[in-house]
Amino acid sequence: MRAGSHATEDTRLMPAFEPGKIRNVAVVGHRGVGKTSLVEALLFQAGKTTRLGSVEQGSTVSDWDEHEHRRAMSLSGSLLHLDWQGRKINLVDTPGDAGFQADTAAALRVVEGALVVLSGVMGVEVNTSRVWARAERYGLSRVLFVNMLDRERADFFRTLEAARAQLSDRCVAIQLPIGSEHEMRGVVDLLHMCAYLDPSGGREAGPQPIPDDMADLVQEHRERLLDAVVETDEELMARYLEGEELPADAVAAALKDAVTRDELYPVACGVATKNLGTTALLDLLVEGVPSPARKGTTIEFGDAKQAVFVFKTIADPFTGRISCFRVLAGPITGDTTLVDPRTHAKERLGQVLLVQGKDTEPVDALGVGDLGAVAKLKDVVTGDVLVDHEVPVEPPRIDFPEPVMSFAVTPRAKGDEEKMASGLRRLSEEDPTLVLRRDPQTGEQLLSGLSQMQVEVAVDRLRSRFHVEVDLHPPRVPYKETIRKSARARHRYKKQTGGRGQFGDCELVLEPLPATDGEMGYEFVDEIVGGVISQGFRPAVDKGVREAMEHGELAGAPVQGVRVRLVDGMEHSVDSSEMAFKIAGSMAFKEAYQKADPVLLEPIMQLEVTVPDESVGAVNGDLNARRGRLQGMEPRGGMTTIRAEVPMAEILTYSQALTSMTGGRGDYTMSFLRYEEVPPHVAQKVIEQARKEREEAKV
């Protein structure tokens, strides 16, 4: 992050904006619909930049990271701002890829409105529906923008109908395209009844007359817009029914009220890469999206007079940690000291910053509802609410999606383990859906995320920012073993050497232990009568059994779902010891285990896959080939959600397969369900592989 490299005016002299003059908007939608290009066009039209940047050339303000340039896509949320009609519009450009949804989830907690971008070619895609549902949960006002209308097969009216069918029947066109596909040459603003013509990448000129040949189409959609708006306002309805010509400002005010109350969702259109449609869209954001003063926040901050909510953390290797926040109560200045109720630590904010992509500008103060940042807060993490005095506040829960895939991660250089863990922890502060944990069963360090690309980007950033080279491998499947019938065994451990010997003798009965709440456990039952084994030696038998259960005899996997009864034994008055009974217990368990019909168990995952209707057959066929069991399907507006139970071993590489089958339009989530017996033909392969690895390890 560089301070002040974009600032052309002295922002220090600017007073904090009033809440009524702020618009906070998250730019959301599926991957590849042109969100970043649209943000770039809005900044250019508002005079914040001097040229129209390009995603392909890596010259946009919001996609500034080298990894974003390489992949030509947004990988994290970017904070930007512009001024229009005396209002400050804060934009959060969010990633559209399913693997980078943490910033999208967080951004939607700090805005009043969502600008939902659709492709005029692809229409409503899976991530659009997901982010729409999230905006619905948070009660956000929504404005839609149909982009890419100059592409082949682009169709504004088809996309409008898809939005009405799949998102809400309260979507209504507020703009129309002039021409179509390669011949698109402008847009009509139905609210202000004017046109804007294609500036071909230059700044849009002022309003123009509407082409005569569009009169009928414009009249039809203008009436639909007025019908939709007046239905939400009784006074306006009366004037409309009396045949009165409604002034644009009265319609705009009623529209804003309707959008604020989530009663209407206006649909705009244009071509971001040509800067077409931006004037009408900026007007719509000012007139349609409510201000913080109008809509307020649902985030609690008690009776604090100054409060902020941290919604994003940037792990910058030079500046350190940068915390992006929304002002809940203020104003907030560099002298402000706040306390974090989670840690009870005091934090002096220091210089308050405005963020513009990778650049920051110092500012005197930020008012209620505004978005800004500060650097180098000590213990603050994404999701914290900071207040001016200790008040019991419940931080808002940011509904981050659960990681769906894991890779084992190992440093290439010996001794880099701590450096690797430290770097990945820093990166997970930036993206909370990235999780590093140690698998207690396999001993591997697992890096989990929402997609393979997300994990690969984390590894790239680990190398470029923290200079640690690591390798990724598919993780070991955490198999378990159990028994299907009862068995008995007795083992005597006797060792005579010079001096005192070792003696322990015990008899065990193994029984299957039914699972409780899906969890398979272990139970040790002491049934010794008559003191044939002293009380002091019996826990040693239990300890020996537990050690033997850590690596079962089939595939070396932990044994669970077993009740062990200690029924008989013998001790020696001199030679018996805890060690001898521990060894005897371990050996007796192993002998009984082999007679108890042991079986291998595998983790079964609950899978939810959302795919285009035309891919359902291929996806179901693939799930069957992966030993999946289909549980049901739910079609909705061109997409189908398939629910299935699938063994984890079959789904470690599912992400690439789904991308290939659906052309990148499929998405999935999964969670652990239960353990189940592995089919014999599969179990045999796993057992053979485990035996081979054990033999290689001995060499």
Side-chain angles (χ1 to χ4, degrees):
M1 285 256 170
R2 296 199 304 274
S5 49
H6 260 214
T8 52
E9 70 274 12
D10 188 357
T11 50
R12 293 169 209 256
L13 303 178
M14 288 170 55
F17 269 84
E18 297 166 22
K21 292 188 174 176
I22 294 171
R23 303 289 184 271
N24 294 316
V25 181
V27 186
V28 298
H30 198 80
R31 176 175 128 192
V33 296
K35 296 182 296 298
T36 298
S37 298
L38 180 59
V39 167
E40 187 67 20
L42 294 174
L43 292 171
F44 176 63
Q45 185 63 25
K48 266 291 179 184
T49 57
T50 54
R51 65 191 179 92
L52 191 63
S54 153
V55 171
E56 288 72 24
Q57 293 168 12
S59 56
T60 60
V61 178
S62 56
D63 280 3
W64 50 269
D65 183 89
E66 62 174 296
H67 305 290
E68 293 177 317
H69 292 170
R70 199 180 310 147
R71 289 180 165 83
M73 60 184 284
S74 299
L75 302 175
S76 57
S78 209
L79 200 53
L80 309 110
H81 59 91
L82 58 87
D83 301 320
W84 191 257
Q85 294 182 10
R87 305 292 188 273
K88 180 186 182 190
I89 301 178
N90 288 316
L91 298 169
V92 189
D93 180 18
T94 67
D97 187 272
F100 301 90
Q101 290 302 293
D103 279 359
T104 306
L108 290 173
R109 290 311 312 260
V110 296
V111 296
E112 285 74 35
L115 173 53
V116 182
V117 185
L118 305 174
S119 157
V121 180
M122 304 304 293
V124 177
E125 297 174 83
V126 59
N127 221 38
T128 317
S129 303
R130 288 214 171 129
V131 81
W132 184 276
R134 193 180 279 272
E136 189 94 40
R137 281 204 303 278
Y138 295 157
L140 298 184
S141 302
R142 274 149 279 169
V143 169
L144 295 87
F145 184 83
V146 181
N147 194 17
M148 300 177 164
L149 287 173
D150 60 339
R151 303 276 178 95
E152 194 174 328
R153 295 188 301 108
D155 187 330
F156 172 76
F157 299 101
R158 184 186 67 223
T159 306
L160 175 63
E161 285 314 306
R164 288 176 58 78
Q166 296 175 47
L167 301 178
S168 170
D169 59 6
R170 301 195 300 280
C171 292
V172 59
I174 197 164
Q175 291 160 25
L176 296 179
I178 303 171
S180 63
E181 297 186 4
H182 305 302
E183 293 173 7
M184 182 170 174
R185 60 188 190 280
V187 299
V188 172
D189 181 343
L190 295 171
L191 185 60
H192 302 99
M193 287 304 282
C194 62
Y196 294 93
L197 301 182
D198 184 354
S200 297
R203 284 209 171 88
E204 259 184 352
Q208 309 289 318
I210 296 169
D212 293 339
D213 61 355
M214 288 191 68
D216 292 346
L217 186 67
V218 167
Q219 189 57 36
E220 177 195 338
H221 282 275
R222 163 86 173 167
E223 282 176 12
R224 285 187 193 175
L225 174 64
L226 290 176
D227 287 346
V229 172
V230 299
E231 271 181 25
T232 68
D233 187 306
E234 287 183 12
E235 185 193 329
L236 217 56
M237 171 78 86
R239 291 166 64 185
Y240 185 55
L241 292 175
E242 285 168 12
E244 188 182 326
E245 183 66 35
L246 299 177
D249 57 350
V251 178
L255 176 70
K256 185 169 193 168
D257 286 342
V259 174
T260 301
R261 296 192 303 264
D262 292 341
E263 291 178 11
L264 281 183
Y265 306 112
V267 183
C269 65
V271 180
T273 51
K274 292 181 177 175
N275 192 35
L276 174 59
T278 47
T279 305
L281 179 59
L282 285 165
D283 288 346
L284 179 58
L285 294 180
V286 167
E287 293 172 349
V289 174
S291 68
R294 196 178 180 104
K295 198 142 187 171
T297 180
T298 56
I299 300 169
E300 291 178 29
F301 54 91
D303 62 352
K305 299 289 186 290
Q306 291 177 299
V308 301
F309 168 59
V310 177
F311 68 94
K312 177 175 170 59
T313 305
I314 302 167
D316 190 270
F318 306 109
T319 321
R321 186 189 292 162
I322 294 174
S323 302
C324 300
F325 61 81
R326 172 181 167 126
V327 181
L328 304 176
I332 296 294
T333 68
D335 296 329
T336 303
T337 297
L338 299 176
V339 63
D340 187 344
R342 181 180 58 84
T343 61
H344 309 291
K346 285 190 173 180
E347 300 274 2
R348 185 176 177 279
L349 296 191
Q351 182 65 66
V352 178
L353 305 167
L354 291 180
V355 182
Q356 190 78 319
K358 69 179 172 185
D359 300 318
T360 58
E361 311 165 11
V363 68
D364 248 1
L366 290 176
V368 173
D370 215 341
L371 307 183
V374 287
K376 299 180 181 173
L377 297 182
K378 293 190 292 290
D379 301 311
V380 174
V381 297
T382 299
D384 280 353
V385 173
L386 309 182
V387 285
D388 58 2
H389 64 282
E390 278 275 8
V391 288
V393 295
E394 187 67 36
R397 185 167 174 270
I398 302 176
D399 214 4
F400 290 124
E402 288 295 317
V404 294
M405 68 186 317
S406 303
F407 289 88
V409 56
T410 53
R412 283 186 193 163
K414 282 191 174 176
D416 266 1
E417 285 81 5
E418 188 49 49
K419 209 171 160 188
M420 175 189 83
S422 166
L424 288 172
R425 274 195 297 273
R426 293 274 301 278
L427 291 172
S428 68
E429 288 174 1
E430 194 170 302
D431 184 350
T433 60
L434 204 60
V435 178
L436 180 69
R437 63 186 173 86
R438 183 180 175 277
D439 187 311
Q441 181 175 323
T442 64
E444 293 177 313
Q445 289 281 5
L446 298 182
L447 184 58
S448 307
L450 301 176
S451 72
Q452 180 170 340
M453 189 194 295
Q454 182 197 19
V455 174
E456 287 171 353
V457 166
V459 167
D460 285 349
R461 285 179 169 161
L462 191 64
R463 181 176 59 248
S464 61
R465 291 191 197 175
F466 304 103
H467 311 294
V468 183
E469 297 269 359
V470 298
D471 292 315
L472 294 175
H473 325 272
R476 291 173 175 273
V477 176
Y479 290 106
K480 290 183 179 174
E481 299 181 22
T482 193
I483 57 173
R484 285 193 287 205
K485 66 180 189 183
S486 300
R488 179 187 294 258
R490 184 164 188 151
H491 187 88
R492 174 173 293 183
Y493 177 68
K494 187 175 180 183
K495 195 173 183 183
Q496 199 65 45
T497 53
R500 184 177 168 178
Q502 294 283 354
F503 183 91
D505 183 328
C506 63
E507 185 173 347
L508 303 177
V509 175
L510 272 56
E511 299 170 347
L513 180 66
T516 54
D517 297 329
E519 290 292 317
M520 294 185 305
Y522 161 69
E523 191 180 314
F524 182 79
V525 184
D526 180 356
E527 294 184 0
I528 293 296
V529 289
V532 290
I533 300 177
S534 300
Q535 186 71 48
F537 293 139
R538 296 175 204 171
V541 176
D542 178 22
K543 195 172 179 186
V545 168
R546 286 176 186 270
E547 282 188 11
M549 287 174 67
E550 285 176 12
H551 301 285
E553 297 295 295
L554 290 178
V559 179
Q560 290 196 342
V562 177
R563 178 185 289 117
V564 175
R565 291 165 43 217
L566 174 59
V567 294
D568 199 4
M570 187 184 294
E571 67 178 70
H572 188 279
S573 57
V574 176
D575 291 348
S576 285
S577 67
E578 285 188 22
M579 177 59 74
F581 273 101
K582 184 175 137 186
I583 294 169
S586 173
M587 300 308 290
F589 174 84
K590 288 179 180 179
E591 289 167 23
Y593 183 68
Q594 289 175 345
K595 302 183 220 168
D597 196 7
V599 290
L600 194 62
L601 302 172
E602 65 182 345
I604 303 295
M605 310 303 284
Q606 175 75 55
L607 189 71
E608 268 201 14
V609 197
T610 304
V611 298
D613 289 347
E614 61 268 21
S615 305
V616 168
V619 170
N620 282 348
D622 178 72
L623 289 173
N624 284 329
R626 293 172 187 269
R627 300 192 281 126
R629 291 192 293 270
L630 297 178
Q631 303 294 307
M633 294 192 292
E634 192 180 311
R636 182 169 178 243
M639 304 294 286
T640 297
T641 298
I642 302 164
R643 279 181 294 280
E645 296 176 1
V646 192
M648 182 195 278
E650 302 288 347
I651 212 149
L652 295 175
T653 57
Y654 190 58
S655 181
Q656 304 95 304
L658 185 64
T659 298
S660 154
M661 284 184 287
T662 63
R665 295 180 66 206
D667 204 355
Y668 74 103
T669 59
M670 73 176 175
S671 54
F672 170 74
L673 196 58
R674 63 178 175 274
Y675 271 86
E676 256 183 30
E677 199 174 309
V678 182
H681 68 285
V682 179
Q684 199 52 46
K685 288 180 190 169
V686 176
I687 291 165
E688 286 298 327
Q689 180 65 27
R691 187 172 297 141
K692 192 174 164 189
E693 285 176 9
R694 282 201 297 268
E695 284 167 4
E696 285 173 359
K698 286 176 189 171
V699 176

